[in-house]
């Protein structure tokens, strides 16, 4: 289904399964996705300011598989205990964002990421599969004040210029941080 350019700020999805939907250029500011699954969807150019991309519901959490987040605006958003598989965050504008307890597998990031936290801490205590370590590519991203807490960066590609200037980033002391 095509929901391009939809105006749906504040929409709540609880335990939903959303498959092959297009939300391009839609306004989903303050979205709340609780234990919701998105498969084969596109949010290209959408606004997700203040969105809760995942809020756990008991032991259930949100899943994003094969989702296109190209040119998405994510400011002041958060994501607690979620799984991202084969997702593209290309040319994103992301700031003051918290990915707490989210795992990423075969995902790519480009664009501007500022004051973004990737944390291995899970609020529900669920076992995470990768903590941002399985084929995750940040090599084309502009990272500013980005934190990686309690995770292993072995499977992560970082921008070359960023790796060469660790001292310019106050939260990182080395390219491999673990819990």
């Amino acid at each position: 289904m095509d929901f391009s350019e939809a105006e749906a700020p504040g929409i709540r999805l609880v335990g939903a399964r959303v498959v092959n939907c297009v939300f391009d250029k839609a306004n989903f500011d303050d979205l709340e996705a609780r234990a919701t699954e998105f498969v084969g969807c596109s949010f290209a150019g959408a606004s997700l300011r203040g969105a809760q991309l995942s809020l756990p519901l008991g032991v259930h959490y949100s899943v994003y598989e094969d989702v296109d987040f190209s040119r998405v605006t994510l400011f002041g958003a958060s994501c607690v205990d979620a799984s991202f598989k084969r997702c593209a965050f290309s040319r994103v504008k992301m700031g003051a964002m918290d990915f707490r307890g989210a795992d990423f597998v075969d995902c790519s990031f480009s664009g501007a990421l500022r004051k973004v936290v990737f944390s291995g801490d899970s609020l529900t205590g669920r076992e995470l599969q990768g903590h941002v370590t399985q084929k995750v590519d940040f090599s084309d991203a502009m990272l500013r004040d980005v934190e990686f807490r309690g995770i292993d960066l072995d499977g992560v590609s970082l921008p070359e210029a960023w790796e060469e200037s660790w001292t310019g980033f106050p939260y990182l002391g080395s390219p491999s941080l673990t819990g």
Side-chain angles (χ1 to χ4, degrees), residues 2-171:
D2 191 342
F3 296 98
S4 294
E5 300 185 26
E7 289 291 327
I11 191 169
R12 291 183 178 183
L13 300 170
V14 180
R17 187 163 197 274
V18 183
V19 179
N20 296 326
C21 289
V22 178
F23 303 105
D24 295 353
K25 298 181 183 174
N27 176 354
F28 281 104
D29 292 347
D30 300 313
L31 162 76
E32 183 180 306
R34 189 178 290 267
T36 296
E37 183 178 5
F38 294 89
V39 178
C41 296
S42 176
F43 287 90
S47 179
L48 294 165
R49 294 173 189 271
Q52 302 286 325
L53 295 182
S54 181
L55 290 168
L57 185 61
V59 296
H60 302 287
Y61 54 92
S62 292
V63 173
Y64 295 83
E65 287 187 25
D66 301 305
V67 175
D68 180 7
F69 289 102
S70 298
R71 301 177 318 281
V72 164
T73 301
L74 278 162
F75 287 105
S78 69
C79 181
V80 176
D81 291 340
S83 176
F84 294 87
K85 295 178 183 171
R86 296 174 306 278
C87 293
F89 293 85
S90 61
R91 296 177 294 173
V92 296
K93 294 178 185 172
M94 190 181 294
M97 174 85 190
D98 186 5
F99 287 103
R100 180 180 302 272
D103 57 296
F104 294 85
V105 177
D106 200 18
C107 294
S108 61
F109 290 80
S110 68
L113 283 73
R114 183 176 178 131
K115 294 187 179 182
V116 178
V117 176
F118 295 91
S119 173
D121 299 334
S122 168
L123 296 182
T124 63
R126 77 178 182 93
E127 290 293 321
L128 300 177
Q129 296 179 348
H131 304 312
V132 192
T133 60
Q134 298 177 357
K135 294 191 269 181
V136 180
D137 186 1
F138 289 98
S139 62
D140 290 327
M142 294 174 288
L143 306 179
R144 174 98 187 230
D145 295 328
V146 172
E147 295 182 50
F148 295 94
R149 295 185 199 159
I151 57 174
D152 186 347
L153 298 176
D154 280 345
V156 176
S157 298
L158 295 169
E160 285 183 34
W162 195 61
E163 289 175 344
E164 294 169 1
S165 61
W166 290 103
T167 57
F169 295 88
Y171 305 109

